[in-house]
């Protein structure tokens, strides 16, 4: 009887370990196969306990912000209403030369944030290296990425999501911060950083020519920075 009990305990222990392993694997693979996407119109939680829980969270909206535009600010405004602290992360490669540096982009974003009373709980920061390391240090609960739609941007985003999912496991080692995609506000889906850069490179760029693309506080600075010639 004792031998039976020992064997049974070992068997159950192995089954529990196997189930935990399968659950962990599925929790990592399923978000990549079927990513979580918040579609527009963005909604705020209706239950008070969920609203209170979200207000205790730190979240990240990462991107190049090269340059920041109305689409970025709309997303940051939604996240600021929902969460306690939002960090607009400008990713950077220390070995790469930029026409407009990540630090200058952070200053641009911060100038847009500081004049908007709805964005007091949002700050901008340049991050070198793996953004997931920064997210873990800041205690971030969610890693947001902005997309026009999954059909348009999903292919590029999936490879980055794989890096942000498996990178922490192999290089941490630590559990990854979950990635959630935020679909852009339709009225700004035609706006992109590439479009703004191309306008600025065309020459004779004025603040007025960017007024429908960039928050008014940043139009002059964007026109000046992105009209510079690459050295």
């Amino acid at each position: 009887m004792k031998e039976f009990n020992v064997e049974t305990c070992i068997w159950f222990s192995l089954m529990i370990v196997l189930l935990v392993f399968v659950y962990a694997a599925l929790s990592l693979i399923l978000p990549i196969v079927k990513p979580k996407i918040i579609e527009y119109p963005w909604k705020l939680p209706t239950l008070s306990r969920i609203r209170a829980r979200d207000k205790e969270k730190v979240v990240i909206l990462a991107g190049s912000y090269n340059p920041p535009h109305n689409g970025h600010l709309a997303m940051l405004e939604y996240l600021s209403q929902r969460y306690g602290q939002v960090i607009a992360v400008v990713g950077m490669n220390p070995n790469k030369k930029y026409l407009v540096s990540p630090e200058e982009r952070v200053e641009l974003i911060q100038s847009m944030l500081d004049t908007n009373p709805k964005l007091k709980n949002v700050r901008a920061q340049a991050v070198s290296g793996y953004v997931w390391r920064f997210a873990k240090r800041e205690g971030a609960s969610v890693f947001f990425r902005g997309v026009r739609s999954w059909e348009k941007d999903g292919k590029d985003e999936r490879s980055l999501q794989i890096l942000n999912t498996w990178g922490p496991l192999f290089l941490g080692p630590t559990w990854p911060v979950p990635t959630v995609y935020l679909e852009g506000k339709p009225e700004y889906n035609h706006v992109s950083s590439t479009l703004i850069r191309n306008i600025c490179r065309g020459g004779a760029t004025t603040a007025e020519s960017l007024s429908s693309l960039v928050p008014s506080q940043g139009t002059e600075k964007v026109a000046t920075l992105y009209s510079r010639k690459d050295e």
Side-chain angles (χ1 to χ4, degrees):
M1 187 68 178
K2 290 183 178 180
E3 182 179 350
F4 173 77
N5 289 337
V6 170
E7 289 179 353
T8 302
C9 289
I10 293 174
W11 186 84
F12 273 113
S13 298
L14 291 174
M15 286 298 296
I16 291 172
V17 170
L18 178 61
L19 288 172
V20 170
F21 176 81
V22 170
Y23 175 80
L26 287 175
S27 66
L28 293 170
I29 295 171
L30 285 179
I32 296 174
V33 176
K34 189 175 177 59
K36 184 175 181 179
I37 302 170
I38 297 180
E39 298 178 341
Y40 192 85
W42 308 315
K43 296 178 181 179
L44 295 172
T46 55
L47 294 178
S48 58
R49 62 181 178 82
I50 297 179
R51 289 199 303 270
R53 183 190 65 191
D54 283 351
K55 282 299 182 182
E56 296 176 356
K57 292 181 178 180
V58 177
V59 300
I60 284 174
L61 180 63
S64 64
Y65 297 94
N66 193 25
H69 52 68
N70 286 332
H72 293 135
L73 270 290
M75 290 181 179
L76 289 170
E77 186 170 323
Y78 163 71
L79 294 176
S80 73
Q81 291 175 352
R82 180 167 179 174
Y83 297 100
Q85 184 182 159
V86 183
I87 309 173
V89 168
V90 179
M92 61 180 287
N93 182 343
N95 299 317
K96 184 177 179 180
K97 182 181 179 182
Y98 299 95
L99 176 63
V100 178
S101 72
E103 291 78 13
E104 288 173 310
R105 280 176 262 156
V106 165
E107 290 180 9
L108 266 176
I109 299 168
Q110 201 62 55
S111 68
M112 298 172 185
L113 298 175
D114 289 343
T115 54
N116 189 332
K118 296 180 180 180
L119 299 173
K120 296 299 183 184
N121 60 332
V122 184
R123 64 182 171 91
Q125 185 162 337
V127 174
S128 176
Y130 294 119
V131 176
W132 60 260
R133 289 190 189 276
F134 172 80
K136 297 298 287 190
R137 287 198 302 269
E138 293 292 324
S141 300
V142 185
F143 186 81
F144 281 96
R145 292 282 298 175
V147 294
R148 292 170 295 176
S149 69
W150 188 252
E151 289 73 22
K152 292 179 179 178
D153 301 326
K155 184 178 180 181
D156 293 333
E157 289 295 332
R158 178 167 277 125
S159 55
L160 183 60
Q161 185 180 1
I162 292 172
L163 175 65
N164 287 328
T165 299
W166 295 99
L169 291 172
F170 290 105
L171 302 177
T174 184
W175 195 255
V177 176
T179 299
V180 176
Y181 295 96
L182 189 60
E183 273 195 358
K185 201 172 183 178
E187 66 189 88
Y188 296 133
N189 273 358
H190 70 289
V191 181
S192 70
S193 296
T194 301
L195 171 65
I196 296 169
R197 291 197 304 271
N198 288 340
I199 292 173
C200 293
R201 287 169 184 160
T205 308
T206 63
E208 289 73 20
S209 64
L210 299 176
S211 59
S212 64
L213 307 174
V214 176
S216 57
Q217 315 92 296
T219 50
E220 290 188 9
K221 189 68 173 177
V222 168
T224 300
L225 289 174
Y226 286 88
S227 295
R228 298 188 305 202
K229 300 299 180 183
D230 197 359
E231 299 177 357

